[in-house]
Amino acid sequence: MSGAVTTLHVVPPSDAPAASVLDDVRAQAMVHGPETLSDRQALTALICNHHPANASQLAARLLWRFRHFPGVLAASHAALTATVSPPAATDIKLAGDMARRLLLAELTQGPLLNRSSVLADYLKASMKGRSTEAFRVLWLDARLHLIADETMWDGTIQHAPVLEREVYRRALEIGAASCVIAHCHPSYDVSPSRADIDKTRQLVDGLRVLGVKVHDHLIVAGQVVTSMAAQGLL
């Protein structure tokens, strides 16, 4: 699931009629398999119902603006509607959520800490493209299997005075043995702030009293996921 991202070289928009372009895409997918489609072709098929006259051109614009296919899927609905219609943007977000669900299914197949690359891809699919910070906790049982992934706060972590109490309450309710914390930086700054570090240490100390271990705090910044544990900040 976590293969390397291929750099897209956007070609000039085709002048072929949209119906012909979509028919060609479907024919290629049927004969050779959908994996042979370019990112532009796949995105064209995704939005063609909403933009029958210029889907291919709009697909090229989206890929140019958001740099690659994962970037398009992770973009916010508001950002997408600067290029395509709201219904087309909704279909793109649904496609992105399908990818997230597939990654989540992989995470539940064994100990979460043995799936670090899948976890990173899952968090990027879930959090990249947000305009505000979101704070979430992945709760684990005694075998390190995922119990639940929950968003505990939507906003700026520095301005979450009730965050610790909510996390402690939920840890007891769900019966977690340990957890992984994650939040995103919409600024794309991969470095943890002073507030990130202080808040994390408060949570680590408080959860330890409850017998819940914090394995890591991961920061999602665009296509990069930074581990605070690896930096010795827990």
Side-chain angles (χ1 to χ4, degrees):
M1 296 295 298
S2 56
V5 173
T6 302
T7 301
L8 175 76
H9 300 285
V10 178
V11 297
S14 170
D15 292 327
S20 174
V21 171
L22 183 58
D23 287 344
D24 289 345
V25 168
R26 287 173 172 163
Q28 179 176 330
M30 289 177 61
V31 175
H32 302 291
E35 67 278 4
T36 65
L37 298 178
S38 68
D39 288 349
R40 180 176 174 180
Q41 289 174 311
L43 194 53
T44 296
L46 185 59
I47 66 173
C48 194
N49 285 340
H50 303 292
H51 296 281
N54 59 343
S56 181
Q57 292 92 328
L58 291 176
R61 291 178 195 172
L62 287 169
L63 291 164
W64 176 84
R65 180 176 181 186
F66 298 107
R67 302 178 60 184
H68 41 58
F69 196 80
V72 176
L73 295 184
S76 69
H77 192 275
L80 290 168
T81 54
T83 303
V84 296
S85 67
T90 298
D91 280 358
I92 292 171
K93 296 307 298 178
L94 286 170
D97 191 62
M98 290 177 189
R100 179 195 65 81
R101 290 168 188 264
L102 287 171
L103 292 166
L104 178 60
E106 281 200 44
L107 286 180
T108 62
Q109 297 306 306
L112 181 133
L113 299 183
N114 293 345
R115 289 168 164 75
S116 58
S117 63
V118 178
L119 175 58
D121 287 342
Y122 170 72
L123 291 174
K124 286 184 287 186
S126 303
M127 305 178 84
K128 182 179 178 294
R130 294 182 58 93
S131 58
T132 60
E133 291 189 16
F135 179 90
R136 66 202 304 154
V137 181
L138 291 90
W139 300 108
L140 310 179
D141 64 17
R143 299 182 301 156
L144 301 179
H145 287 221
L146 183 66
I147 301 173
D149 167 28
E150 299 182 326
T151 298
M152 303 297 298
W153 186 264
D154 190 351
T156 304
I157 191 172
Q158 297 96 311
H159 302 141
V162 300
L163 179 60
E164 297 95 79
R165 294 195 299 274
E166 288 299 307
V167 171
Y168 304 151
R169 178 187 62 79
R170 189 57 178 153
L172 292 173
E173 286 180 346
I174 206 165
S178 61
C179 67
V180 173
I181 298 169
H183 84 281
C184 59
H185 280 180
S187 66
Y188 286 61
D189 181 358
V190 299
S191 303
S193 67
R194 182 73 253 172
D196 293 339
I197 296 170
D198 292 343
K199 187 69 67 178
T200 299
R201 288 176 176 167
Q202 290 172 19
L203 287 169
V204 168
D205 292 342
L207 286 168
R208 184 184 298 118
V209 172
L210 302 178
V212 179
K213 177 180 175 59
V214 178
H215 296 286
D216 207 344
H217 185 163
L218 302 172
I219 297 176
V220 181
Q223 287 294 104
V224 179
V225 178
T226 300
S227 164
M228 290 180 64
Q231 298 180 44
L233 296 176
L234 294 193

